[in-house]
């Protein structure tokens, strides 16, 4: 049935939508061969087709950028985006794609910022998605976030619920007071990563401290936990918060930006 829908051409808005409240994803590893996401473009397409089926209409793809592991220059990311968009267009898959990145917190990030070689999202808001080692001290994350802000970007911390040193509401509040936006992983709500991550994600939702919901999707398998999370009450509560995801869908009828 899934294939037959695609054979008819462009998926219309009348197809099954399970997440009407969440149409934009801001964290996904879907560009092939750039990181630990899809190994080829066919895998990318399969995931994107499934994400369309569950209600997404726009995905901001965010490959890892991390020296020595994922040396993705912004030109390479944009080139990969261009190729993937072209294939989607040829196959009449109406998912809008944009590219940013998930920057690892390291000195190189600040060199890239200085050279204006970072990919951000949200137009003038210049949301810069970053992550750190899961055992990083909260004070180091705060210091880095302030440097990102000083450079004119809005720091968005990827999956704060996964950092061991942020399991402390005071540390979380300190980051929030200093303008750090939090992007939680939808899969965390099912306990996909750990019990602690699940509890912290729930706390962030209950305290209304979530700015973005992200899939952090790397594979079709991982998408299953996200689909499970969509059924949870806590997920529905999260979508009722003042989350910024859907503000990024500038034109709902736009197929290709
Ligand atoms: Fe990620």
């Amino acid at each position: 049935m899934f294939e037959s829908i695609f054979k008819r051409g462009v998926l219309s808005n009348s197809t099954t939508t399970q997440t009407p409240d969440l149409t934009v994803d801001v964290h996904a590893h879907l560009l092939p061969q750039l990181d630990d996401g899809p190994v080829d473009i066919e895998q990318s397409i399969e995931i994107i087709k499934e994400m369309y089926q569950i209600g997404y209409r726009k995905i901001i793809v965010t490959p890892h950028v991390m020296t020595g592991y994922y040396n993705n220059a912004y030109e390479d990311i944009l080139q990969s985006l261009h190729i993937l968009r072209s294939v989607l267009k040829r196959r009449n898959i109406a998912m809008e794609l944009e590219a940013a990145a998930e920057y690892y917190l390291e000195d190189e990030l600040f060199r890239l910022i200085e050279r204006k070689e970072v990919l951000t999202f949200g137009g003038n808001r210049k949301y810069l998605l970053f992550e750190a080692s899961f055992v990083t001290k909260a004070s180091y994350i705060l210091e880095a976030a302030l440097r990102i802000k000083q450079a004119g970007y809005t720091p968005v911390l990827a999956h704060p619920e996964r950092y061991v040193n942020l399991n402390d509401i005071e540390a979380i509040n300190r980051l929030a007071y200093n303008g750090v936006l939090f992007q939680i992983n939808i899969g965390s709500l099912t306990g996909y990563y750990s019990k602690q991550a699940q509890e912290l994600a729930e706390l962030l939702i209950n305290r209304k401290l979530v700015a973005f919901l992200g899939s952090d999707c790397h594979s079709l398998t991982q998408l299953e936990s996200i689909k499970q999370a969509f059924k949870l009450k806590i997920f529905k509560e999260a979508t009722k918060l003042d989350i910024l995801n859907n503000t990024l869908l500038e034109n709902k009828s736009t197929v290709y930006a």
Side-chain angles (χ1 to χ4, degrees):
M1 177 200 160
F2 187 61
E3 273 306 312
S4 66
I5 291 169
F6 279 91
K7 280 175 189 155
R8 285 204 301 271
V10 180
L11 283 170
S12 73
N13 285 335
S14 62
T15 52
T16 311
T17 299
Q18 293 170 14
T19 58
D21 298 327
L22 187 69
T23 53
V24 182
D25 190 16
V26 298
H27 183 166
H29 300 266
L30 300 181
L31 294 177
Q33 299 179 355
L34 287 191
D35 60 10
D36 51 348
V39 296
D40 59 34
I41 203 157
E42 291 308 321
Q43 279 192 5
S44 304
I45 299 283
E46 283 308 305
I47 301 168
I48 290 168
K49 280 167 34 175
E50 186 66 13
M51 289 182 76
Y52 193 98
Q53 284 296 99
I54 62 175
Y56 286 105
R57 294 296 176 264
K58 177 173 179 174
I59 305 169
I60 295 160
V61 289
T62 52
H64 290 287
V65 174
M66 182 184 193
T67 306
Y69 292 91
Y70 307 112
N71 301 306
N72 292 316
Y74 79 98
E75 300 99 321
D76 300 332
I77 296 171
L78 293 178
Q79 172 67 6
S80 180
L81 172 73
H82 172 73
I83 294 168
L84 185 54
R85 270 181 174 169
S86 312
V87 176
L88 290 180
K89 192 172 186 180
R90 273 204 299 279
R91 298 194 193 179
N92 290 330
I93 300 167
M95 182 73 89
E96 189 181 347
L97 285 192
E98 266 184 32
E102 181 179 18
Y103 291 98
Y104 188 73
L105 201 48
E106 55 179 348
D107 291 344
E108 180 62 12
L109 169 58
F110 296 97
R111 280 192 281 273
L112 293 174
I113 286 176
E114 213 166 292
R115 297 202 296 261
K116 301 208 181 318
E117 291 180 2
V118 281
L119 291 171
T120 60
F121 61 100
N124 291 340
R125 303 298 301 272
K126 292 187 178 175
Y127 299 122
L128 190 148
L129 184 71
F130 73 103
E131 65 169 344
S133 149
F134 292 133
V135 294
T136 302
K137 283 186 178 166
S139 57
Y140 181 62
I141 295 177
L142 176 58
E143 194 188 310
L146 292 174
R147 285 179 72 186
I148 292 170
K149 259 179 74 177
Q150 215 164 27
Y153 300 96
T154 306
V156 179
L157 180 62
H159 37 63
E161 70 276 13
R162 299 187 64 194
Y163 299 92
V164 292
N165 294 318
L166 294 187
N167 197 15
D168 160 11
I169 196 65
E170 276 182 33
I172 288 282
N173 282 341
R174 207 169 302 124
L175 291 174
Y177 291 147
N178 283 284
V180 179
L181 300 186
F182 297 133
Q183 173 266 301
I184 66 164
N185 282 3
I186 296 165
S188 292
L189 301 175
T190 66
Y192 178 84
Y193 301 98
S194 69
K195 187 78 188 150
Q196 184 197 302
Q198 182 181 15
E199 287 172 1
L200 191 46
E202 288 173 0
L203 178 76
L204 288 164
I205 292 169
N206 290 330
R207 300 271 178 133
K208 300 184 170 42
L209 285 170
V210 177
F212 292 104
L213 295 168
S215 72
D216 201 357
C217 185
H218 294 68
S219 66
L220 264 187
T221 320
Q222 198 183 355
L223 208 47
E224 288 308 309
S225 76
I226 291 155
K227 286 156 77 175
Q228 287 304 313
F230 286 165
K231 298 175 190 158
L232 301 174
K233 191 167 163 271
I234 188 78
F235 172 78
K236 290 187 173 59
E237 281 166 20
T239 60
K240 284 182 205 142
L241 297 177
D242 201 11
I243 57 165
L244 298 170
N245 290 59
N246 292 349
T247 65
L248 303 169
L249 192 66
E250 284 159 3
N251 180 352
K252 289 186 183 189
S253 63
T254 299
V255 177
Y256 300 100

